[in-house]
Amino acid sequence: MIQRIQSIYLLIASLVSGGLVFVFNLWSNLKEQIFALDLFMRESFLLKVIPLLFLLSAVVSFLDIFLFKNRKLQFVIGRLIILINLFLLGLLIYVSLTLPGEISISKKGIGMFLPILVVLLIVLANKAIKKDEDLVKSVDRLR
């Protein structure tokens, strides 16, 4: 039953969180564009956590696809992915507001908004999982 719509939503969320974050920049200033891989080289622990959370979100959402036999666990893992991405979004907003050199021109990249897209996809997947669970419960009542 991997061919369900929630599997597609989870796969797209995994690709967005694990792939597009390395394509789109998080922010840019006058000197350079900052990508998620660049944050591994920074000395701040807070900046090193950002790419780790993106990768954690991608791996967990990819593994969540294969939990189709246990829909309740799949739903709970989906909520966990939402929490990870909301924490990541808050961390990105905090870092962007406290950027050094914010007085000079700095632009936020589209990579800052990828956690919002992942949250939207996971919410859609959780709706489909809930719909499947309700369908199975209604069929069980008929037996």
Side-chain angles (χ1 to χ4, degrees):
M1 294 289 291
I2 293 180
Q3 67 272 18
R4 299 179 307 167
I5 189 70
Q6 56 264 33
S7 299
I8 294 172
Y9 290 142
L10 289 168
L11 182 64
I12 293 172
S14 174
L15 292 175
V16 166
S17 187
L20 291 183
V21 72
F22 300 112
V23 175
F24 296 116
N25 63 339
L26 296 175
W27 61 82
S28 62
N29 54 21
L30 290 175
K31 298 176 187 173
E32 62 183 339
Q33 292 184 345
I34 306 296
F35 292 91
L37 281 178
D38 299 334
L39 297 178
F40 279 126
M41 305 305 167
R42 302 296 171 120
E43 61 278 349
S44 173
F45 175 75
L46 194 62
L47 293 176
K48 289 182 181 182
V49 169
I50 292 172
L52 290 176
L53 286 175
F54 273 118
L55 290 175
L56 178 69
S57 172
V59 168
V60 172
S61 62
F62 184 73
L63 292 177
D64 197 24
I65 296 171
F66 301 106
L67 295 175
F68 58 88
K69 290 184 180 178
N70 191 352
R71 286 176 300 281
K72 290 179 184 178
L73 180 64
Q74 193 177 26
F75 189 78
V76 170
I77 298 289
R79 286 187 177 180
L80 178 70
I81 298 167
I82 290 172
L83 287 175
I84 290 171
N85 280 293
L86 289 177
F87 178 73
L88 179 62
L89 183 65
L91 188 63
L92 285 171
I93 290 171
Y94 172 75
V95 168
S96 71
L97 292 176
T98 60
L99 279 175
E102 185 63 33
I103 298 171
S104 65
I105 300 172
S106 76
K107 298 177 185 172
K108 288 17 170 206
I110 193 146
M112 296 275 289
F113 303 107
L114 288 178
I116 296 171
L117 181 61
V118 172
V119 167
L120 177 70
L121 288 167
I122 299 298
V123 165
L124 290 173
N126 275 354
K127 275 181 123 176
I129 292 167
K130 180 84 168 115
K131 187 188 291 185
D132 279 357
E133 185 67 25
D134 291 343
L135 181 66
V136 169
K137 283 182 181 178
S138 70
V139 170
D140 284 344
R141 272 184 264 154
L142 293 175
R143 287 186 204 177

